Amino acid sequence: MTATEIEIKKDIRLLTKAQLTEIVVGFGATKSRGGIIYDWLWKYGVGNFDEMTTLKPTLIEQLKAEFTIKPIQEHKIQRSDDGTIKGRYKLHDGHLIEAVLIPIPSENRYTVCVSTQVGCSLTCSFCATGRMERKRNLDAGEIFDQVVAINKQSMASFGHPLTNIVYMGMGEPLLTYTNVLRSVELITEGLQMAAKRITVSTAGIAKMIKKAADDKVKFNLALSLHAADDVKRHQIMPINESNNLETLIESLIYFCKARKKRITLEYIAFQNFNDSLEDAANLVKICKRFPCMVNILEYNPIDNAPFLKSAEENIDLFAEYLHNNGIMVTFRRSRGRDIDAACGQLANKG
């Protein structure tokens, strides 16, 4: 099939179940065929029509004539000594994205970190993806495909399905909000993963956090905070200029009240930048304003970035200060150091 033919044909995965049913009835098939096709797409995650083996050949040919499926394709896989598996995937238009499997067998936890955009427009100074121009948003199917692909990796490598999904890869999920919501719907309904196992991580888009609350989303919310005062956050995250901390805090309070959910504050510890006890004290003040926990992240350095990971003793003191002030805190060590594990590194490479 040529590129021109693909563009002319409609992407069948953009259709609802009702639309599919209407189309197959128009083809002369029964209404039930629409639901069966929908299941093939979203329960079994097939990438072409010939895999829909319960359909009559004539119906398959009718579908092929009118529609196309645009699954992501595995492009490169990297495996870390610590078990982390990073996949680079090629989209139908040639763009590259990445998804990461983070296995922690001792905790029976197998997490996939998925991308939501090709590149990113937020230009956070510590992030490899921030150096890539945002090309486009991923559609719901392309997000769904990452989960399916990494679930297969998890089963093949560890004999265990995914237990958690984090929207924390390339891109800002709340800037492709409709597609993210649709992908969550497909994952929870089609793959039968509970929404409580899904976390959407944002750099901080206050109005969209409030919209998520109004929409009664069932997923968990995490904020990539990384600095507990506006001066420092301005330096590393330009989004803070239009969504300062007070604006963000108000939106998080709104979300917590509306959804009765605790927020996770992600906090990368940078050496001699945000890892002092004064920084910890500022963070405690924020945490006291709404239900939350703090997840301290060890930095995975990228080329030509002016940051180093904080010393372990500094992180210990920082975490201890939070704990002593009644804040729930965890520390997550960097994974996949021996591969291109930092967000955007692998997709940026040839």
Side-chain angles (χ1 to χ4, degrees):
M1 184 180 297
T2 67
T4 301
E5 288 175 321
I6 291 176
E7 289 305 316
I8 290 174
K9 293 183 179 182
K10 298 176 183 177
D11 184 351
I12 196 169
R13 299 199 301 181
L14 298 180
L15 301 177
T16 65
K17 184 186 290 189
Q19 290 170 328
L20 266 175
T21 300
E22 183 180 351
I23 286 167
V24 297
V25 168
F27 286 161
T30 61
K31 288 183 178 181
S32 64
R33 296 298 96 178
I36 292 171
I37 295 168
Y38 195 82
D39 283 348
W40 275 116
L41 294 172
W42 304 120
K43 185 176 180 180
Y44 304 107
V46 302
N48 65 73
F49 295 110
D50 290 325
E51 294 179 71
M52 298 181 181
T53 53
T54 57
L55 300 182
K56 292 181 179 179
T58 52
L59 179 54
I60 289 176
E61 291 306 312
Q62 287 173 305
L63 292 172
K64 285 182 179 180
E66 296 287 337
F67 299 101
T68 185
I69 304 174
K70 301 177 181 178
I72 65 174
Q73 297 180 344
E74 184 179 297
H75 194 259
K76 184 175 184 179
I77 299 295
Q78 290 185 341
R79 298 175 184 269
S80 170
D81 291 339
D82 65 19
T84 301
I85 300 175
K86 187 159 196 175
R88 182 169 69 189
Y89 298 93
K90 190 173 184 179
L91 308 181
H92 68 91
D93 54 6
H95 291 308
L96 300 174
I97 58 168
E98 57 192 37
V100 183
L101 171 62
I102 305 170
I104 309 179
S106 61
E107 299 178 11
N108 200 36
R109 189 179 181 90
Y110 298 81
T111 302
V112 60
C113 182
V114 297
S115 297
T116 56
Q117 296 178 312
V118 180
C120 185
S121 60
L122 299 189
T123 66
C124 297
S125 59
F126 52 84
C127 179
T129 309
R131 300 179 181 187
M132 302 170 62
E133 179 184 355
R134 189 192 72 81
K135 300 295 185 182
R136 67 172 177 87
N137 295 336
L138 300 188
D139 64 38
E142 291 167 331
I143 299 171
F144 173 91
D145 282 350
Q146 294 171 69
V147 177
V148 172
I150 294 294
N151 189 57
K152 290 178 181 177
Q153 287 277 4
S154 187
M155 290 298 297
S157 300
F158 304 102
H160 201 292
L162 293 172
T163 60
N164 298 80
I165 301 171
V166 183
Y167 287 65
M168 199 178 179
M170 296 169 59
E172 166 52 54
L174 296 190
L175 291 181
T176 177
Y177 180 78
T178 300
N179 294 350
V180 164
L181 256 58
R182 174 61 175 157
S183 71
V184 170
E185 177 185 344
L186 295 170
I187 290 165
T188 54
E189 293 183 359
L191 302 182
Q192 297 294 298
M193 288 200 70
K196 66 181 181 180
R197 295 288 186 174
I198 300 174
T199 299
V200 173
S201 179
T202 176
I205 316 293
K207 68 178 183 179
M208 298 308 297
I209 292 172
K210 288 185 176 181
K211 179 169 176 52
D214 291 339
D215 288 341
K216 297 180 173 58
V217 299
K218 295 182 180 180
F219 56 71
N220 303 305
L221 185 68
L223 173 69
S224 294
L225 183 64
H226 310 319
D229 67 82
D230 280 321
V231 173
K232 288 185 178 181
R233 203 164 189 268
H234 280 344
Q235 292 180 46
I236 60 174
M237 302 180 72
I239 188 63
N240 199 69
E241 296 176 13
S242 56
N243 292 262
N244 64 28
L245 284 176
E246 188 56 36
T247 302
L248 276 180
I249 290 168
E250 289 177 2
S251 71
L252 296 174
I253 292 171
Y254 185 89
F255 185 91
C256 289
K257 287 182 177 179
R259 304 307 306 135
K260 303 297 188 290
K261 282 180 174 288
R262 183 177 62 195
I263 306 294
T264 297
L265 299 180
E266 307 283 2
Y267 195 95
I268 298 175
F270 301 113
Q271 182 174 301
N272 299 325
F273 179 75
N274 65 349
D275 60 349
S276 71
L277 293 185
E278 180 182 355
D279 293 307
N282 288 335
L283 182 53
V284 167
K285 292 176 184 177
I286 292 175
C287 292
K288 294 292 187 180
R289 298 183 62 181
F290 53 89
C292 67
M293 65 169 289
V294 175
N295 187 16
I296 301 174
L297 310 176
E298 187 178 35
Y299 184 50
N300 196 340
I302 62 174
D303 293 339
N304 303 315
F307 299 103
L308 298 173
K309 69 183 183 71
S310 181
E312 190 167 328
E313 55 267 28
N314 285 357
I315 294 176
D316 288 342
L317 289 171
F318 192 98
E320 183 180 13
Y321 185 95
L322 296 181
H323 177 75
N324 290 341
N325 280 273
I327 308 303
M328 186 182 297
V329 57
T330 59
F331 171 45
R332 193 172 79 207
R333 294 187 180 279
S334 175
R335 302 292 297 267
R337 295 184 191 178
D338 53 327
I339 60 175
D340 298 303
C343 183
Q345 280 186 322
L346 183 56
N348 256 325
K349 288 197 168 185

